[in-house]
Amino acid sequence: MGFLSKVFGGRKRVEPHGLWAEDQEQLDALAARGGDPAGPRESEFFISFGSDVKAKAAADELRSQRVIHELVEPSHDIPEWMLFVRAYRTPLLPDFLRERVDLCEDIASRYGGEYEGWAGLLTDEEKGL
């Protein structure tokens, strides 16, 4: 979602879980692939930063809140500092996805980063393994 859409109100929350419309669409795609959004699963949320100082400060705040995360330095393929916020065996619904997206957007905003989105992984059972 572009910056101007956020500033001028182009984003909408949708019911029944109060998710951003784009997050609901991604959740619907997960369900279409056989995922149960209310079932426990691994998920990741991505925040990028242009500097180590901002990224480390954001990571320190997540650590103080006991949020599982990993800070990854720039590499030859990725020029930004990346903060991966993770959850394990946690259902996305009813509240976790909304709360975690809101947290990541808040962290990105306060520490000069860019919230990049999230991914919910299918479980082995959902993959048919």
Side-chain angles (χ1 to χ4, degrees):
M1 178 64 53
F3 172 75
L4 291 177
S5 295
K6 289 179 184 178
V7 170
F8 293 109
R11 297 174 80 194
K12 294 180 185 178
R13 296 272 185 180
V14 295
E15 294 306 324
H17 303 289
L19 299 173
W20 293 117
E22 63 267 19
D23 293 324
Q24 183 64 55
E25 290 172 11
Q26 188 172 343
L27 192 66
D28 292 344
L30 175 73
R33 291 184 9 239
D36 174 10
R41 76 186 53 261
E42 183 176 341
S43 57
E44 289 187 324
F45 301 79
F46 315 103
I47 309 170
S48 62
F49 295 89
S51 81
D52 64 329
V53 172
K54 293 175 181 181
K56 289 176 181 177
D60 286 344
E61 177 161 340
L62 290 173
R63 189 174 305 105
S64 75
Q65 294 182 33
R66 299 180 186 255
V67 173
I68 299 169
H69 65 280
E70 178 183 1
L71 182 60
V72 178
E73 295 182 12
S75 69
H76 60 283
D77 292 335
I78 301 174
E80 296 95 10
W81 284 78
M82 293 299 301
L83 194 52
F84 298 104
V85 180
R86 295 195 167 100
Y88 301 95
R89 297 175 299 282
T90 305
L92 296 170
L93 297 178
D95 300 318
F96 179 77
L97 179 58
R98 182 190 67 251
E99 291 169 355
R100 191 51 50 105
V101 168
D102 290 350
L103 170 68
C104 290
E105 287 183 334
D106 180 59
I107 292 285
S109 175
R110 288 190 294 120
Y111 292 97
E114 182 72 28
Y115 172 65
E116 304 286 349
W118 64 275
L121 305 179
L122 292 175
T123 65
D124 288 344
E125 295 80 20
E126 292 166 343
K127 292 179 198 174
L129 298 178

